[in-house]
Amino acid sequence: MLNARFGCGGCAFRTAAMKHCFYNETVGFFYNNSRKELTTYWRTKDVLVVALGLTVSVIVLLTNLLVITAIIINRRFHYPIYYLLGNLAAADLFAGIAYMFLMFHTGPRTAELSLKTWFIRQSLLDTSLTASVVNLLAIAVERHQTVFTMQLHSKMSNQRVMILIFCIWVTALLLGLIPSYGWHCLCALEKCSSMAPLYSRSYLTFWAISNLVIFLIMVVVYTHIFIYVKRKMTRMSKHTSFHPRYKETMISLVKTVTIILSAFVICWTPGQVVLLLDGLGCKSCNVLAVEKYVLLLAEINSLINAIVYSYRDNEMRNTFRRILCFVCYRNSKYTPTVVKLNTTDRRTLSQNGHFTVDSSI
């Protein structure tokens, strides 16, 4: 009898809990709950945001696809750092697809989405952006290792690089899919966030703090690289045997590190701070007013990555020209260019006979 009583109480408790879950409600229900505006018509602001977002997405897709193609076809890029750059380009390519998907399902179209489609839209963004951030961290650590050991390329084996890339995507998928599988507010409306009305504020806080910690680590790593290179260059410049080409490479490295760090902080920090404020439930912070703009700024970083990490590499630029003008390289003008490159290649052979790519990454 006692067991039956507790059993019935458990059933009543589960029934009561189920009544507080709103799986059958519309997206508009949650937007109204979070007091986030949901328009039913296209405003000028919505059109401009979508037009700009689609433009950025297309450019991100094309530039990162170009980087991936260059790394695949040029054997000189078959080194750990370039595999990581290729994976970064793949993450940014995925980010471009996710952002384009968002542009086609935003504005008045948001009200027409099912809960499943809304979670897919957000999961694509979270997964792609997380993959990009974690990949940037991996590149920072790799560059730190190679710079401090005075090497151009890491001695990491291809197998370890593939394992690292696999771990990056597993981490990104886990963080991107967690809200869809439970870390949401469908059963606790009072915990819903303002920027993502179906997400729990605790998840936004966790995601923002995790990314900010990664940012801090990257700032420390790149600052350490910057200080080391500056000191190394100062010491080496005092010696008469200091090679001008080495000085040029060091200066180029300092410039690249500065651009990388500046672009990353400018593009990512505002969005993470806004997410953190929303996650902490800041009532006086008008996070919705800047939501779309900070997300677009983070997406622009996917374009900057391709430029900074790849276009400053002479060999990468040459490969880009071959891809974009492959028809021109079929004529007779292509032969002298190859001879010239081969002559340069022979001059850049290291003492052990292995080819080294002139890179300012």
Side-chain angles (χ1 to χ4, degrees):
M1 185 72 178
L2 189 61
N3 292 335
R5 183 179 300 175
F6 274 100
C8 292
C11 293
F13 177 78
R14 287 193 297 270
T15 303
M18 291 178 63
K19 288 180 179 179
H20 287 85
C21 293
F22 301 91
Y23 296 112
N24 296 324
E25 292 293 343
T26 63
V27 170
F29 171 82
F30 293 95
Y31 274 64
N32 290 333
N33 174 70
S34 297
R35 293 182 175 83
K36 183 174 183 179
E37 187 180 10
L38 194 60
T39 60
T40 56
Y41 61 94
W42 286 99
R43 300 168 298 180
T44 303
K45 182 178 69 173
D46 297 326
V47 175
L48 290 176
V49 169
V50 170
L52 183 60
L54 288 176
T55 302
V56 172
S57 296
V58 170
I59 297 175
V60 167
L61 291 176
L62 294 177
T63 53
N64 286 286
L65 187 61
L66 188 62
V67 172
I68 294 172
T69 304
I71 293 174
I72 291 175
I73 68 173
N74 194 333
R75 293 185 178 180
R76 295 171 184 173
F77 297 144
H78 293 182
Y79 291 95
I81 180 60
Y82 286 104
Y83 291 144
L84 291 176
L85 287 176
N87 191 52
L88 175 64
D92 291 336
L93 181 72
F94 187 39
I97 295 173
Y99 198 76
M100 184 175 290
F101 185 83
L102 172 65
M103 291 298 100
F104 283 119
H105 297 83
T106 191
R109 296 195 182 111
T110 303
E112 303 171 2
L113 300 178
S114 64
L115 298 186
K116 181 179 179 181
T117 306
W118 190 94
F119 275 115
I120 291 174
R121 188 185 76 171
Q122 298 304 123
S123 295
L124 287 174
L125 285 172
D126 295 344
T127 300
S128 60
L129 296 178
T130 302
S132 182
V133 171
V134 177
N135 212 106
L136 284 169
L137 176 62
I139 291 174
V141 174
E142 195 277 344
R143 285 293 84 188
H144 185 275
Q145 178 188 1
T146 54
V147 167
F148 277 77
T149 54
M150 299 300 292
Q151 297 174 343
L152 182 59
H153 296 293
S154 172
K155 294 182 179 180
M156 188 185 305
S157 65
N158 291 341
Q159 183 179 3
R160 288 187 177 181
V161 175
M162 293 300 110
I163 293 175
L164 178 59
I165 291 174
F166 176 77
C167 292
I168 289 173
W169 283 103
V170 169
T171 302
L173 284 172
L174 286 176
L175 290 178
L177 293 175
I178 282 177
S180 303
Y181 287 94
W183 205 344
H184 49 65
C185 65
L186 301 187
C187 299
L189 296 183
E190 70 281 359
K191 297 182 179 180
C192 291
S193 67
S194 298
M195 293 178 61
L198 278 71
Y199 276 10
S200 173
R201 289 197 307 270
S202 60
Y203 172 75
L204 291 189
T205 303
F206 165 77
W207 201 73
I209 291 178
S210 298
N211 284 321
L212 288 173
V213 169
I214 293 177
F215 296 173
L216 179 61
I217 295 173
M218 288 186 62
V219 168
V220 172
V221 170
Y222 276 122
T223 302
H224 197 196
I225 293 175
F226 181 86
I227 295 173
Y228 175 80
V229 171
K230 288 285 289 184
R231 289 178 178 176
K232 188 74 174 179
M233 189 170 59
T234 303
R235 288 199 303 266
M236 295 294 290
S237 61
K238 296 179 182 179
H239 299 280
T240 56
S241 60
F242 184 62
H243 200 284
R245 184 173 177 81
Y246 183 79
K247 180 180 180 181
E248 179 183 346
T249 302
M250 296 289 270
I251 293 175
S252 181
L253 179 60
V254 171
K255 289 180 179 179
T256 303
V257 169
T258 304
I259 295 172
I260 290 170
L261 190 58
S262 302
F264 187 78
V265 171
I266 292 172
C267 290
W268 276 97
T269 305
Q272 299 306 315
V273 172
V274 170
L275 280 176
L276 182 59
L277 291 175
D278 187 21
L280 295 176
C282 180
K283 301 297 182 182
S284 59
C285 307
N286 191 10
V287 294
L288 296 178
V290 296
E291 172 194 10
K292 295 184 183 297
Y293 304 105
V294 294
L295 179 59
L296 179 62
L297 189 61
E299 178 62 23
I300 290 176
N301 187 246
S302 297
L303 172 62
I304 296 177
N305 286 339
I307 297 174
V308 175
Y309 282 96
S310 303
Y311 286 60
R312 285 180 58 83
D313 191 306
N314 293 330
E315 182 65 27
M316 186 70 77
R317 288 199 300 271
N318 292 334
T319 307
F320 289 160
R321 294 190 189 100
R322 288 174 55 191
I323 296 173
L324 297 175
C325 306
F326 68 96
V327 175
C328 301
Y329 277 81
R330 290 182 179 180
N331 57 31
S332 57
K333 293 182 181 180
Y334 179 75
T335 305
T337 305
V338 174
V339 174
K340 183 177 179 180
L341 285 174
N342 288 339
T343 305
T344 306
D345 294 348
R346 285 194 294 271
R347 290 199 300 266
T348 57
L349 286 174
S350 60
Q351 293 181 355
N352 60 5
H354 293 293
F355 182 82
T356 58
V357 181
D358 178 21
S359 172
S360 60
I361 298 173

